[in-house]
Amino acid sequence: MVNDGTYLFFEKLEGVIRSQIPTETSRLMDVDILTPITSAVLKDRTILEKWTVICAQTELSEHASLIMLQILVGFYCQIRLFSFTKNIVERYKIHQKSQKQSKGLRGAMKRTSSVQDT
């Protein structure tokens, strides 16, 4: 069972990641977005405070705690960015499919002329 502190940590983590993900797909070309998002998360004071509360219940040293936080944030960001990338690919496929359907000029002209004749 997840306690309140862990829930609040992941809620804040999700919020920071969503705020750092670029909304424009043009900014995604040939850019490493994982590193800036991960560093923004690791610099967030609220996340660090919530992580400290979680680790206070364990016997981890401060150094081990920070390493665990880096690993956790790295994996979580990769998972979120994978689903984000999947959504972009799906939108691209739908866009390409709609462009293919409206590609033929002759077919479009025939359809237009047959509609006007009736």
Side-chain angles (χ1 to χ4, degrees):
M1 183 170 194
V2 177
N3 64 16
D4 291 340
T6 306
Y7 173 78
L8 293 173
F9 169 77
F10 279 104
E11 182 181 44
K12 180 64 178 173
L13 179 63
E14 179 70 21
V16 172
I17 290 173
R18 282 181 185 237
S19 70
Q20 294 294 319
I21 292 177
T23 55
E24 301 172 10
T25 55
S26 62
R27 288 184 46 203
L28 298 176
M29 300 301 177
D30 301 324
V31 175
D32 175 28
I33 60 173
L34 180 62
T35 305
I37 290 174
T38 305
S39 65
V41 168
L42 292 173
K43 290 178 184 175
D44 189 272
R45 184 174 297 266
T46 309
I47 288 180
L48 293 174
E49 289 171 359
K50 292 184 186 308
W51 181 253
T52 305
V53 170
I54 292 171
C55 289
Q57 303 165 0
T58 65
E59 297 176 7
L60 287 174
S61 68
E62 187 175 337
H63 180 69
S65 169
L66 289 176
I67 291 174
M68 292 266 308
L69 177 63
Q70 290 173 346
I71 293 170
L72 177 75
V73 166
F75 283 142
Y76 194 84
C77 287
Q78 284 179 344
I79 291 168
R80 290 297 295 132
L81 290 175
F82 178 78
S83 81
F84 174 71
T85 306
K86 185 178 174 184
N87 287 340
I88 289 175
V89 169
E90 285 298 317
R91 282 190 275 159
Y92 177 76
K93 286 180 182 179
I94 291 170
H95 179 71
Q96 290 297 342
K97 188 176 181 180
S98 69
Q99 281 186 341
K100 281 185 180 180
Q101 290 174 350
S102 64
K103 192 175 183 181
L105 178 61
R106 287 187 201 164
M109 290 174 67
K110 284 181 184 178
R111 283 191 296 270
T112 305
S113 66
S114 65
V115 169
Q116 290 175 353
D117 292 338
T118 56

